[in-house]
Amino acid sequence: MKIDIVEAKSPKRGSLVVVVGEGGHLGGFGLRADKALGGALTRAMKAAPRFTGAKGQWLEVVSPGGGLSRVLLAGLGKAPEIKAAAYEALGGEAVRRLAVSGETELSIAAEVLKATVLPGAEAAARAALGARLGGYRFDKYRTKLKDREKPSLKVVSVLSEAVPAARKLYQPLDRLADGVTLTRNLVTEPANVIYPASLAAECRKLAKLGVRVEVLGEREMKKLGMGALLGVGQGSDRESHLVVMQWNGGKKGAKPVSFVGKGVCFDTGGISIKPAAGMEEMKWDMGGAGAVIGAMAAIAGRKAKANVVGVVALVENMPSGTAQRPGDIVTSMSGQTIEVLNTDAEGRLILCDAMWYTQQRFKPQLMVDLATLTGAIIISLGHEHAGLFSNNDRLAEQLSNAGKAEDELLWRLPLSEAYDEGLKSPIADMQNIAGPGFGAGSITAAQFLQRFVVEKTPWAHLDIAGTAWSKKDKPTVPKGATGFGVRVLNRLVADYYEDK
Ligand code: BES
Ligand code: MN
Ligand code: ZN
């Protein structure tokens, strides 16, 4: 599917999307199209009075004349309230509606209605981004698709009256979509395809964008003293890896922004094994690492003027004769010892070493870790918000803002001494889970991580267990791997940490 932004001329074939404001109001382009079609659009709206142009409403007019196969009227709601996100949804939903319809060509008239405060170029660029994100598919393993199930849409043209400006705005968004797509692909791949070594190999491919990539193996990590990370991977036949990705687009020597991702390529739970039902979902347990990799791709792809380092800890958590046992005590790179009471609380064990390493080596100006860390965050927040934990109000606010701007919502939860108490171990510096009945599973997990944050490092932890994948389709997020986190991280850098 090819997406382009072109001059706003009425197409003579294929399908056309026209936007409508609440009350059935057409814009200038829509009015001209209606006239050229002999009033077919106003007639259609009259015949379907429940279509009012409300946000998210669609009305399909088949064979409207003028050589077009269809016109789709897309409601955007009340004009003054229409935001850029509405144009992303427009592009995404338009593509989703026609993707396998048999249609090959789609034009989206991404015009701004009277009383909507949004530059036309921005509307068009966001519609194009939405088309890319909403058009995402993963058909690699579907070898028996019937002809009528195959994607038919070949060309998507976003019509704009500000083509040069819109194209310029779209360029970095196109790279953002590359990053989201990469994350979705990596997270969707099964664990027999994406395992630590093969995921590290995927990271290496970012070198073509100018990212410096280093891959550490078990030998190097042992030398560094990463006993917590290595303990998780020791039951697997597959070697654990730590990947360091550096994008240096900022001032030479300026402290980097750092991102750390949980990359448990498959989480069986280890000896504290998970129930069989639903275990296949644990191929998604590298969603944090996936988001960091996709964000690095987006940031490097658009040549961000910032220094950014991404570190991902890649392991497979398996039960076997060499697996770690409940009660084992491991020594982390920080020197702190951990009693592993539950081998299924493994994410924090790999993150603690990756976070310590990141701070020791890079002295970052901030650190954000992303992890599908706890089932408990789904109990708290469902699938609408990711959990946000931070030792720094400013960073927490920046992330919240970035999340709102990108529709990757975050909700802050508390950290405190009283929660930290739950991790006291009678035999080691800490245990990896709080005792039975303590509750607050997501918070105690975050408290565990905080024990590995050097005091002065502004740090935030995003628990994305409920948002890394989705069971329902949204206009720009088809069900399955969402790529959650890529947009927040990219926006965080763009809005707050980039040289202007
Ligand atoms: N990867 C899981 C968390 C998870 C659960 C993600 C469900 C997505 C959906 C994590 O490693 C885990 O197993 N956490 C345990 C922690 C518990 C043993 C303290 C959990 O949430 O049950
Ligand atoms: Mn687990
Ligand atoms: Zn896990």
Side-chain angles (χ1 to χ4, degrees):
M1 199 174 77
K2 192 175 145 295
I3 298 170
D4 204 0
I5 299 175
V6 301
E7 231 27 85
K9 279 187 296 211
S10 259
K12 296 278 172 275
R13 55 168 193 263
S15 290
L16 169 68
V17 173
V18 172
V19 298
V20 186
E22 178 74 73
H25 302 299
L26 293 167
F29 182 94
L31 288 169
R32 285 195 300 279
D34 188 38
K35 201 163 163 209
L37 296 171
L41 307 186
T42 39
R43 237 176 5 254
M45 286 195 269
K46 212 172 250 161
R50 294 221 168 158
F51 177 88
T52 61
K55 189 173 169 181
Q57 271 192 330
W58 287 74
L59 181 62
E60 214 171 298
V61 188
V62 178
S63 194
L68 296 172
S69 49
R70 322 170 193 221
V71 171
L72 286 79
L73 295 168
L76 293 183
K78 296 196 182 85
E81 292 167 17
I82 298 169
K83 304 258 170 5
Y87 284 87
E88 281 185 29
L90 172 76
E93 184 64 22
V95 165
R96 295 175 45 71
R97 280 171 179 262
L98 294 173
V100 296
S101 66
E103 180 61 87
T104 56
E105 285 179 55
L106 166 63
S107 302
I108 304 172
E111 68 175 325
V112 175
L113 299 170
K114 210 164 75 190
T116 299
V117 199
L118 190 73
E122 166 101 21
R126 293 285 201 119
L129 171 64
R132 264 206 79 185
L133 295 176
Y136 176 80
R137 299 176 60 96
F138 191 90
D139 288 337
K140 189 172 161 187
Y141 299 112
R142 289 152 66 85
T143 67
K144 292 187 188 307
L145 277 181
K146 301 199 177 65
D147 278 339
R148 64 179 153 79
E149 296 169 328
K150 288 184 184 153
S152 57
L153 210 49
K154 298 280 180 290
V155 184
V156 177
S157 306
V158 175
L159 310 183
S160 173
E161 304 205 317
V163 174
R167 282 194 176 155
K168 195 164 171 221
L169 282 178
Y170 179 52
Q171 221 169 32
L173 298 179
D174 202 15
R175 302 288 75 76
L176 171 62
D178 290 345
V180 173
T181 301
L182 173 61
T183 302
R184 287 177 182 173
N185 286 341
L186 295 177
V187 174
T188 307
E189 287 283 5
N192 59 329
V193 175
I194 285 294
Y195 46 87
S198 63
L199 188 47
E202 292 296 323
C203 295
R204 279 213 167 93
K205 292 183 186 166
L206 298 190
K208 68 173 185 291
L209 299 175
V211 177
R212 195 176 144 201
V213 185
E214 296 158 70
V215 179
L216 280 63
E218 291 181 353
R219 205 169 50 88
E220 289 99 324
M221 290 192 279
K222 199 162 184 183
K223 266 199 213 139
L224 288 162
M226 295 188 174
L229 188 157
L230 290 169
V232 175
Q234 79 185 32
S236 170
D237 285 344
R238 302 193 189 275
E239 184 176 1
S240 301
H241 290 286
L242 187 89
V243 182
V244 181
M245 294 163 278
Q246 292 180 69
W247 167 252
N248 289 316
K251 292 204 181 73
K252 209 171 165 214
K255 284 183 176 173
V257 165
S258 68
F259 302 138
V260 180
K262 168 179 172 180
V264 177
C265 295
F266 196 79
D267 182 12
T268 63
I271 296 298
S272 312
I273 198 161
K274 288 181 180 296
M279 200 198 276
E280 69 282 355
E281 297 193 344
M282 285 300 123
K283 73 172 181 180
W284 283 317
D285 211 19
M286 35 60 73
V292 169
I293 296 164
M296 293 306 294
I299 287 163
R302 66 178 181 79
K303 303 203 183 326
K305 292 192 181 67
N307 296 338
V308 183
V309 39
V311 175
V312 291
L314 311 179
V315 302
E316 187 180 57
N317 188 19
M318 300 294 274
S320 76
T322 61
Q324 154 164 276
R325 293 146 291 257
D328 282 5
I329 297 174
V330 294
T331 303
S332 66
M333 184 184 172
S334 74
Q336 300 178 89
T337 58
I338 305 160
E339 184 187 12
V340 179
L341 289 181
N342 189 319
T343 65
D344 197 12
E346 84 297 340
R348 60 198 79 181
L349 295 171
I350 67 169
L351 283 171
C352 73
D353 278 338
M355 285 163 54
W356 192 261
Y357 175 86
T358 301
Q359 293 167 100
Q360 294 307 304
R361 176 164 170 199
F362 295 104
K363 308 281 184 276
Q365 56 172 317
L366 66 89
M367 176 169 67
V368 181
D369 78 80
L370 291 93
T372 49
L373 202 62
T374 65
I377 203 70
I378 306 176
I379 308 291
S380 311
L381 301 174
H383 305 283
E384 308 306 323
H385 286 81
L388 160 65
F389 302 82
S390 184
N391 64 355
N392 184 288
D393 292 343
R394 203 170 82 104
L395 177 59
E397 176 153 354
Q398 291 171 343
L399 280 163
S400 289
N401 292 344
K404 274 183 205 144
E406 299 289 321
D407 200 21
E408 291 188 339
L409 300 177
L410 307 176
W411 196 262
R412 193 174 180 184
L413 290 159
L415 292 164
S416 82
E417 193 58 43
Y419 289 114
D420 195 68
E421 297 268 314
L423 297 172
K424 272 193 183 156
S425 161
I427 183 169
D429 296 337
M430 72 195 86
Q431 49 194 41
N432 75 330
I433 55 165
F438 192 88
S442 304
I443 304 177
T444 53
Q447 291 292 163
F448 181 96
L449 296 178
Q450 193 175 13
R451 288 179 175 227
F452 299 85
V453 176
V454 179
E455 187 121 25
K456 60 179 195 303
T457 310
W459 157 76
H461 157 58
L462 306 184
D463 192 336
I464 60 170
T467 51
W469 60 89
S470 168
K471 289 188 172 151
K472 63 169 200 259
D473 284 319
K474 288 202 225 162
T476 56
V477 189
K479 63 171 172 268
T482 59
F484 189 100
V486 175
R487 298 189 64 169
V488 177
L489 296 183
N490 179 62
R491 169 74 75 156
L492 177 76
V493 170
D495 282 359
Y496 301 105
Y497 296 97
E498 224 172 306
D499 306 332
K500 290 294 173 244

